[in-house]
Amino acid sequence: MRFSFRLILSLAFGITVVTFLFARAQVRAEKRDLRNDLEKRAEVLAESMEETAEPLLARGLRWELQRVVDRFGNRERLAGIAVYDRAGRLMITTPRLDALVGAASGLVSQALAQGSGRGDFVKSGGNDLHIYVMPLRADSGAVVGALALFHDADYIEAASAGIWKEALAHVLIQMVLIVLVTLLIVRWSVRGPIAKMAQWMKAQRAGGAAPQPDIPEDLFKPLAHEVTNLASSLQAARDSAETEARLRDLGEAMWTPERLHVHVQGLLQGNGLYVVSNREPYIHRRRGNATEVMVPASGLVTAMEPILVACAGTWIANGSGDADRENVDAHDRLRVPPDQPQYALRRVWLSREEEAGYYLGFSNEGLWPLCHIAHTRPLFRAEDWQRYREVNEKFARAVVEEMAGAEEPLLLIQDYHFALLPRLVKKARPDARVSIFWHIPWPNPQVFGICPWQSEVLNGLLGADLVGFHIQAHCNHFLETVDAALESHVDWEHFAVDRRGHRTLVRPFPISVAAENREQPAARSVYVERAKLFKRLDVEGAYLGVGVDRLDYTKGIVERFRGIERFLELHPRYQGQFTFVQIAAPSRSEIPRYARFVQEVTEESERINGRFQKGKWKPIVLLRRHHSHAEIAEYYRAADLCLVTSLHDGMNLVAKEFVASRDDEQGALILSQFTGAAHELPDALVVNPYDTEQVAQAIRLALEMDPEDGRARMRRMRVRVQEHNVYHWAASLIGALAEIRVDHPIKPQAEVLPIRTLRAAAGQTSLRT
């Protein structure tokens, strides 16, 4: 009620002020126009009388002049006429003008002296008058007298008063109408949505499942945004509490973000936590005149963010968005997440040359194919190695800056982009606990020996206190490589390396996804969802297979297509029935090998489709674009099978994502034996992707498997993924790092290679030291 009263008063005041200003301007304009009109009429009347009055006055025909004056004196709004002699003495007037003639004395004197007409508005006896005096001349041109016209000007003020009254009436009418309309608008557009929102929040607070109300975003966008976030947080907290209660009741120990939060806080005990990765968790990009915040599709973000939130840590990453620089402070930092800031993001800026050499060059044309052993020749260039070292040094400086003032900080370095970083940070901060997780495979010593700078890479990695891989086999290969390339002691019993006074533990930490734990399968129809997808793709079919990959030559996409081709050859009854959808996200297109691979995949799909396609059915649908998690989830839930045929993969989270999405316990997973996931999911149909016959038979088995057997397999895989989810991975990694005892040397060890030594080694093939 108070709000409405204040609103009405504000509107009334605003309308009154605006109307007053407009009315005032209108009155002034009207008075100006009426005065101008009166002045012109006086001049015209004086000129018309001049020709008649001048000869009569010159000849002294006073009686005739009186008749002329009387005849003109009855004009509208004319108060009277007076005639003066050349000395300015009154000679003749119209009746009842005696009281007003005195007001014209000054104008008469001026007109006679200057010999020209004079006019002015005066006030006399409470009346407004306009007096106009015109000199009268004889035939010789000499001034013989003056003619004065007196006009009543009271009507001008009366007209102004009428305008004010009309304006006041309009104000009252407008005020009433606007107030009524405003109250209706407030009721329909403000109170109504707010009431709906309040009812919705009440239902949320009570634990109900009311749908979010439809409210106008243009007016309530900030409020709606915050209320939605609040409701989401409330629901997440409620779900978490219910999950924890259920798990305690069942005696289970499933890891959740909340459990990870508590676990990490207990481990850190106030120590700072820092994460380094090439990819940042939040990217600012321009969209027209606006800036939007994007969260990259990354399992790393899912895993690391709960840890950083738990301890208000710092994430250090490459600032890659075109609007990133506009959204940091003077120290290149910002608080994230944007909606509820809880930890710091420090952005490191790389030039195009650094990006090309460090990321595209040494990391992805050198280390990536070297570690994946996927029949693509690795390229090692001295200039790329130089950029790689420079970027690692740049990140090391940023990390040390962020650690300033922190005691015994913990550092989690992510992936092969930062092989030199552990040693650089450890040299500057010996008290720091440093780990690096290598997300890609590690090859055998003979293969890794191809790298011209293998000693420098290994020495950089061994600066860490903990080196993590996905599976034990990769740990073994790493230890074998160290044993073959460096003078060190490999402790095989404890899987550690002792080198010049520093001990590095090597452990497997299989990464996973944030799997949900649902007690009941979702109430939906796989067949209905599949039919919707087929309709959207404009194809016909009965069975659906799906593959989700980056367009990378290590993912075995071409081999997968050939397995599908062989399946259709061996089992022609599935022609016209089975369609495989390959979701292929473009990746590293600046690298020539990746550009060629895109062409290979496209040509192979077109060749197979050209061979088998009939009408609206085709065996392979290739979708070459980035898809959101929600879009991919639709295909996961509707598919009969998922094909993961990587030629070499550290883990492959697509396999686990597919399993996590199948809360209906249907669908089959065909999984390459060369993935880390194959060690964790033995209930998948494990195949050699190079064996086309085996892939074809696995597709047939997946489509024809006994439903009970299929559900049992999926159920066991889901239990594994749920119990060993991404939060379990993060807890294991940080738990192992926190348990490491850190020595505090008085001075840096002399054998730790300084940056200048690394630079001097650029371009030289490393020998065993």
Side-chain angles (χ1 to χ4, degrees):
M1 186 65 182
R2 290 181 178 178
F3 169 76
S4 299
F5 183 69
R6 289 197 303 268
L7 181 61
I8 291 170
L9 286 181
S10 300
L11 286 171
F13 177 75
I15 294 169
T16 302
V17 171
V18 172
T19 305
F20 171 78
L21 294 176
F22 274 101
R24 184 180 179 186
Q26 187 178 0
V27 166
R28 287 183 174 181
E30 185 70 15
K31 289 178 71 173
R32 184 174 60 250
D33 292 341
L34 290 174
R35 285 182 172 225
N36 291 338
D37 180 65
L38 182 56
E39 288 175 344
K40 290 179 181 179
R41 285 194 288 111
E43 291 179 12
V44 171
L45 179 59
E47 289 174 356
S48 64
M49 292 182 64
E50 180 183 17
E51 295 180 359
T52 304
E54 281 182 341
L56 295 176
L57 180 61
R59 292 198 298 269
L61 300 176
R62 190 181 185 111
W63 175 251
E64 294 297 330
L65 186 59
Q66 181 69 53
R67 290 177 58 192
V68 172
V69 169
D70 291 341
R71 188 172 72 250
F72 280 92
N74 59 0
R75 296 294 181 93
E76 182 183 6
R77 296 197 178 97
L78 187 63
I81 302 173
V83 179
Y84 298 83
D85 62 16
R86 59 186 172 189
R89 294 186 295 270
L90 181 65
M91 294 175 58
I92 298 172
T93 66
T94 55
R96 299 183 300 278
L97 192 62
D98 297 338
L100 303 177
V101 293
S105 58
L107 289 173
V108 171
S109 299
Q110 293 176 17
L112 291 172
Q114 297 176 5
S116 60
R118 302 289 294 175
D120 198 3
F121 286 89
V122 298
K123 200 168 190 69
S124 178
N127 298 321
D128 290 322
L129 295 175
H130 177 264
I131 304 174
Y132 183 79
V133 180
M134 173 176 279
L136 299 175
R137 301 175 186 275
D139 292 339
S140 62
V143 175
V144 293
L147 174 67
L149 303 179
F150 296 80
H151 280 90
D152 182 6
D154 285 337
Y155 75 95
I156 295 178
E157 292 300 326
S160 299
I163 293 175
W164 280 113
K165 291 179 181 179
E166 184 179 355
L168 179 61
H170 286 169
V171 167
L172 293 175
I173 295 173
Q174 290 173 3
M175 200 178 302
V176 172
L177 292 176
I178 292 176
V179 167
L180 290 175
V181 172
T182 302
L183 290 176
L184 291 175
I185 292 175
V186 168
R187 183 178 183 84
W188 292 336
S189 301
V190 179
R191 286 187 178 178
I194 289 178
K196 291 180 181 178
M197 190 180 298
Q199 189 67 26
W200 176 63
M201 293 181 68
K202 182 178 179 181
Q204 293 289 323
R205 183 165 51 85
Q212 183 173 346
D214 183 18
I215 59 177
E217 288 194 0
D218 53 345
L219 183 61
F220 295 98
K221 187 174 183 179
L223 178 62
H225 182 68
E226 292 302 324
V227 168
T228 301
N229 288 338
L230 179 63
S232 299
S233 300
L234 180 63
Q235 186 60 42
R238 183 182 292 113
D239 293 343
S240 175
E242 292 176 354
T243 300
E244 291 293 336
R246 185 172 63 252
L247 294 177
R248 285 195 298 271
D249 185 56
L250 297 175
E252 297 177 358
M254 179 179 168
W255 283 89
T256 64
E258 291 72 27
R259 182 181 175 189
L260 177 62
H261 182 115
V262 174
H263 178 73
V264 169
Q265 283 188 326
L267 289 174
L268 294 180
Q269 297 181 349
N271 295 338
L273 179 69
Y274 304 85
V275 171
V276 176
S277 67
N278 178 70
R279 179 178 294 178
E280 57 183 332
Y282 295 93
I283 302 172
H284 287 85
R285 288 184 177 163
R286 294 189 184 90
R287 289 291 181 269
N289 295 326
T291 299
E292 72 173 5
V293 181
M294 297 181 61
V295 180
S298 171
L300 181 64
V301 176
T302 304
M304 290 288 102
E305 192 160 62
I307 302 177
L308 290 165
V309 168
C311 60
T314 300
W315 192 317
I316 303 161
N318 173 23
S320 58
D322 57 11
D324 276 357
R325 289 182 184 268
E326 303 165 11
N327 292 276
V328 295
D329 62 16
H331 303 286
D332 299 323
R333 299 189 189 101
L334 71 155
R335 301 288 296 176
V336 291
D339 293 332
Q340 192 175 0
Q342 293 179 304
Y343 66 93
L345 171 60
R346 166 69 184 275
R347 285 169 171 162
V348 178
W349 313 113
L350 302 182
S351 66
R352 290 185 178 179
E353 293 76 16
E354 288 173 328
E355 187 84 19
Y358 138 83
Y359 179 75
L360 296 176
F362 189 76
S363 293
N364 288 308
E365 288 188 286
L367 291 179
W368 177 270
L370 177 71
C371 291
H372 281 86
I373 324 174
H375 308 297
T376 292
R377 180 180 178 181
L379 299 177
F380 292 103
R381 294 178 285 260
E383 57 269 25
D384 292 343
W385 170 245
Q386 173 72 14
R387 296 296 186 191
Y388 186 84
R389 286 183 302 155
E390 291 173 356
V391 171
N392 273 250
E393 291 167 12
K394 181 178 287 189
F395 269 87
R397 289 192 293 271
V399 171
V400 173
E401 288 174 6
E402 294 300 320
M403 285 182 174
E407 296 184 4
E408 296 188 1
L410 277 73
L411 176 61
L412 306 178
I413 303 171
Q414 303 299 317
D415 228 349
Y416 58 100
H417 311 94
F418 301 107
L420 307 181
L421 189 57
R423 176 70 65 188
L424 296 172
V425 174
K426 195 71 174 178
K427 182 180 179 182
R429 290 296 302 265
D431 63 318
R433 290 180 174 86
V434 179
S435 71
I436 182 168
F437 189 83
W438 197 267
H439 287 263
I440 61 176
W442 190 277
N444 60 52
Q446 292 75 24
V447 170
F448 198 81
I450 294 173
C451 178
W453 301 282
Q454 71 160 335
S455 293
E456 287 87 341
V457 171
L458 292 172
N459 191 63
L461 290 170
L462 292 176
D465 300 295
L466 175 66
V467 178
F469 296 94
H470 287 299
I471 60 176
Q472 185 63 50
H474 298 156
C475 297
N476 296 344
H477 285 163
F478 175 75
L479 293 173
E480 291 168 357
T481 304
V482 171
D483 195 29
L486 298 180
E487 184 177 345
S488 59
H489 172 67
V490 177
D491 183 352
W492 286 99
E493 182 179 356
H494 299 98
F495 291 97
V497 177
D498 295 307
R499 175 171 164 80
R500 298 178 179 178
H502 182 258
R503 186 172 182 83
T504 302
L505 301 181
V506 182
R507 295 286 186 273
F509 300 98
I511 198 169
S512 189
V513 295
E516 296 182 8
N517 183 23
R518 298 181 181 177
E519 291 183 328
Q520 298 296 331
R524 55 183 166 76
S525 170
V526 173
Y527 304 102
V528 171
E529 292 194 11
R530 189 180 305 157
K532 289 181 180 177
L533 290 177
F534 279 139
K535 184 177 181 180
R536 186 186 307 166
L537 297 171
D538 196 27
V539 297
E540 293 179 351
Y543 302 96
L544 175 65
V546 66
V548 180
D549 304 272
R550 289 184 301 106
L551 275 167
D552 191 294
Y553 52 80
T554 67
K555 301 303 180 182
I557 299 175
V558 172
E559 287 75 10
R560 184 181 310 167
F561 287 176
R562 290 171 183 166
I564 294 169
E565 179 184 26
R566 183 59 177 158
F567 163 72
L568 295 174
E569 288 176 351
L570 295 175
H571 309 285
R573 65 182 179 278
Y574 286 102
Q575 295 180 21
Q577 300 291 314
F578 177 77
T579 295
F580 184 80
V581 176
Q582 176 63 55
I583 296 175
S587 175
R588 304 168 187 165
S589 55
E590 303 93 334
I591 299 176
R593 179 65 186 94
Y594 282 82
R596 292 196 302 273
F597 181 71
V598 172
Q599 185 176 357
E600 292 173 18
V601 170
T602 304
E603 290 176 351
E604 193 68 5
S605 66
E606 290 174 350
R607 181 187 66 80
I608 296 172
N609 284 339
R611 179 181 176 189
F612 292 102
Q613 186 169 353
K614 299 176 183 178
K616 296 190 70 174
W617 172 82
K618 57 182 177 181
I620 297 175
V621 176
L622 179 60
L623 304 179
R624 282 174 40 190
R625 67 173 180 85
H626 291 281
H627 288 68
S628 67
H629 285 300
E631 290 175 311
I632 294 173
E634 288 185 292
Y635 287 93
Y636 282 155
R637 290 193 300 264
D640 293 285
L641 59 90
C642 178
L643 268 168
V644 177
T645 55
S646 301
L647 305 180
H648 203 185
D649 223 327
M651 176 55 65
N652 194 291
L653 293 180
V654 169
K656 293 187 176 183
E657 286 176 355
F658 175 72
V659 170
S661 69
R662 296 313 296 254
D663 50 344
D664 60 353
E665 297 180 350
Q666 297 184 45
L669 174 63
I670 301 175
L671 184 58
S672 167
Q673 68 186 63
F674 304 120
T675 63
H679 295 263
E680 292 194 88
L681 303 174
D683 283 292
L685 301 177
V686 180
V687 299
N688 179 348
Y690 296 98
D691 188 342
T692 304
E693 297 288 331
Q694 190 180 38
V695 173
Q697 292 304 323
I699 295 173
R700 181 195 63 80
L701 179 59
L703 296 177
E704 299 177 2
M705 185 183 300
D706 177 71
E708 286 302 319
D709 183 25
R711 278 192 289 271
R713 285 173 176 264
M714 183 59 71
R715 191 178 303 118
R716 289 192 293 267
M717 288 191 290
R718 284 178 55 79
V719 169
R720 173 69 186 184
V721 171
Q722 288 169 356
E723 291 181 352
H724 295 80
N725 59 20
V726 70
Y727 309 116
H728 176 269
W729 172 81
S732 301
L733 179 61
I734 197 170
L737 180 61
E739 290 176 358
I740 294 175
R741 184 176 66 85
V742 179
D743 294 326
H744 298 271
I746 297 176
K747 59 180 180 179
Q749 299 295 320
E751 60 272 20
V752 176
L753 292 177
I755 294 174
R756 62 178 180 271
T757 305
L758 288 173
R759 286 177 174 168
Q764 300 176 4
T765 303
S766 299
L767 302 177
R768 178 171 176 171
T769 59

